Amino acid sequence: MNYRVLYFASLRDRAGMDAEQIHSLATDARGLYSELRARHGFTMGEDRLRVAINGAFAQWGHTLHDGDEVVFIPPVSGG
Amino acid sequence: MNYRVLYFASLRDRAGMDAEQIHSLATDARGLYSELRARHGFTMGEDRLRVAINGAFAQWGHTLHDGDEVVFIPPVSGG
Amino acid sequence: MTAFRISNDTIDPAALARALVHARTGACATFEGWVRDHNDGRAVQRLDYQAYAPLAQSEGERIIDEAREKFAIIEAFCVHRAGALAIGDLAVWVGVSAAHRGAAFDACRYIIDEVKKRVPIWKNEHYADGESGWLHPDNTPVASERK
Amino acid sequence: MTAFRISNDTIDPAALARALVHARTGACATFEGWVRDHNDGRAVQRLDYQAYAPLAQSEGERIIDEAREKFAIIEAFCVHRAGALAIGDLAVWVGVSAAHRGAAFDACRYIIDEVKKRVPIWKNEHYADGESGWLHPDNTPVASERK
């Protein structure tokens, strides 16, 4: 399936891009992150991240659909 | 002895004046307030008031000196 | 600027806020107390503040000194109005700056709480029904001394 | 005005504060977060905020809705900057009005605490020594993902 992935903060620096279109066999956010972690060498584990799907926070096990926008949210530091 | 007494809030309304010069035999704030209470008909007891002598908070039993400025402070309501 | 001030004139919160901020300031907390149109179920039209000014001044400064000892703050100011105020007038302003927000919030709240408890200022509310009355610290009326 | 807003332009706290006050307002509490010249012992020269704007917006609004449910408040607003900021720039502003001060303080603090915990905004500090780094919520550096 095709997913759109957006990167922020340290993940953006590591991936060297703001966003990418991914063709993947992963069916949930957990599987997709494993794949991207291997591809980009992210060191942050799932326990440090939150997931957003189509602009809303979601569970790691949430089933992905073709065309979903997926964002892995590093620890935030606004304010 | 002569004391200067200032009145605020409900005590000012009751006494009908901002301040007065008092000649009194009272030697502490407690005695002075008893006298003024009788004279003006104040209903508020000592337990509801604080005392200031010469611009600083003081004890009811603090010895007064000739010329002291004495203020009986009703419950405050600033802010 | 003295840390605590009784003012007979309108308070300018924007000017006060500017005096709070330094290069090392990370956080400012402010509190504004406004004259509102009701209290305890009664419509309020205006109010007067009386202050015993010399003691109000020294007690206000003491409170701000206490806040500086208790909390890691940079600047702290408080201005309280005296005289006649209308609905929508600013009655009291407190501002605190600090490196971190916890100290700024805690000190700001400490100052307004202590000012309301300890500083000799009295509020006389004038109600829509023509009555008026001095208030206690909890905003209930002083029933007693009125003729 | 929406209750929560990400802004690419300078924040005007005086204009925001004016929108808080109604005739029934007795108390306003505000919080301002400023870019300060140091963090964790290092001299800071400037910083950038990145935001995942759609989620930041919805999460920010959710936080303000929660504050309205938890506390007896009248108005509440929060504006957070995005983009490049210099020392002495205002990074975030929170303002809450209420009839009474307890609710105003508690809601103001709730909003800034939750914004810092939950809203997807990231701070990248640029230090005087030429380094830069993404920060954690507790302002310690994210050691990991840098190449």
Side-chain angles (χ1 to χ4, degrees), chain C residues 3-7 11 16 77-81 91-94:
Chain C
F4 183 89
R5 196 156 52 82
I6 300 283
S7 173
I11 298 172
L16 290 164
F77 303 118
C78 176
V79 182
H80 199 297
R81 279 296 309 276
V92 58
W93 185 91
V94 181

Side-chain angles (χ1 to χ4, degrees), chain A residues 6-16 33 40-45 48 50 52-57 69-79, chain D residues 33 49-55 58-59 62 80 91-92 112 115-124 134-139 142-147:
Chain A
L6 309 185
Y7 296 114
F8 292 95
S10 53
L11 296 183
R12 178 180 293 186
D13 290 356
R14 187 73 186 181
Y33 185 67
H40 294 297
F42 298 145
T43 58
M44 233 183 259
R48 310 272 313 282
R50 298 181 73 185
I53 299 172
N54 300 325
F57 285 116
E69 179 181 278
V70 183
V71 184
F72 302 101
I73 312 271
V76 302
S77 53
Chain D
Y49 283 106
Q50 265 177 28
Y52 178 28
L55 182 57
S58 59
E59 193 68 5
R62 186 190 309 272
H80 199 298
V92 59
I112 187 63
V115 164
K116 289 176 80 101
K117 254 187 269 180
R118 293 160 46 186
V119 172
I121 298 175
W122 297 271
K123 176 159 61 177
N124 193 0
W134 296 100
L135 297 181
H136 281 165
D138 61 0
N139 272 332
V142 176
S144 48
E145 304 296 340
R146 329 216 55 250
K147 276 184 184 166

Side-chain angles (χ1 to χ4, degrees), chain B residues 10 14 41-44 48, chain C residues 136 141-147:
Chain B
S10 53
R14 187 73 185 181
F42 297 146
T43 58
M44 234 183 259
R48 309 274 308 284
Chain C
H136 281 165
V142 176
S144 49
E145 303 297 340
R146 328 214 60 248
K147 277 187 181 161

Side-chain angles (χ1 to χ4, degrees), chain A:
Chain A
M1 285 194 281
N2 288 293
Y3 306 120
R4 180 164 176 79
V5 182
L6 309 185
Y7 296 114
F8 292 95
S10 53
L11 296 183
R12 178 180 293 186
D13 290 356
R14 187 73 186 181
M17 61 182 80
D18 293 6
E20 65 183 327
Q21 206 69 32
I22 289 282
H23 184 78
S24 165
L25 296 176
T27 56
D28 63 11
R30 180 170 289 120
L32 182 60
Y33 185 67
S34 294
E35 208 176 302
L36 294 170
R37 203 174 167 178
R39 175 191 303 213
H40 294 297
F42 298 145
T43 58
M44 233 183 259
E46 272 178 31
D47 56 317
R48 310 272 313 282
L49 299 168
R50 298 181 73 185
V51 182
I53 299 172
N54 300 325
F57 285 116
Q59 301 301 314
W60 283 95
H62 188 93
T63 301
L64 295 175
H65 299 96
D66 193 57
D68 278 353
E69 179 181 278
V70 183
V71 184
F72 302 101
I73 312 271
V76 302
S77 53

Side-chain angles (χ1 to χ4, degrees), chain C residues 66-102:
Chain C
E66 291 167 4
R68 289 182 175 284
E69 279 166 31
K70 286 175 194 286
F71 309 104
I73 61 179
I74 298 171
E75 296 282 4
F77 303 118
C78 176
V79 182
H80 199 297
R81 279 296 309 276
L85 279 77
I87 306 303
D89 280 352
L90 185 50
V92 58
W93 185 91
V94 181
V96 176
S97 61
H100 301 287
R101 72 188 185 286

Side-chain angles (χ1 to χ4, degrees), chain B residues 6 8-14 41-44 48 50 52 55-57 69 71 73-79, chain C residues 49-52 55 58-59 80 91-92 112 116-123 134-137 142 144-147:
Chain B
L6 310 184
F8 292 95
S10 53
L11 297 182
R12 178 179 292 185
D13 290 356
R14 187 73 185 181
F42 297 146
T43 58
M44 234 183 259
R48 309 274 308 284
R50 297 182 74 184
F57 286 115
E69 179 183 279
V71 184
I73 311 272
V76 302
S77 51
Chain C
Y49 282 106
Q50 265 176 29
Y52 178 28
L55 182 57
S58 60
E59 193 68 6
H80 199 297
V92 58
I112 186 63
K116 290 177 79 103
K117 254 188 267 178
R118 293 160 47 185
V119 173
I121 298 175
W122 297 272
K123 175 159 61 177
W134 296 101
L135 297 181
H136 281 165
V142 176
S144 49
E145 303 297 340
R146 328 214 60 248
K147 277 187 181 161

Side-chain angles (χ1 to χ4, degrees), chain D residues 65-79:
Chain D
D65 287 345
E66 291 167 4
R68 290 182 175 283
E69 279 167 30
K70 285 174 193 289
F71 309 105
I73 61 178
I74 297 171
E75 295 283 4
F77 302 118
C78 177
V79 182

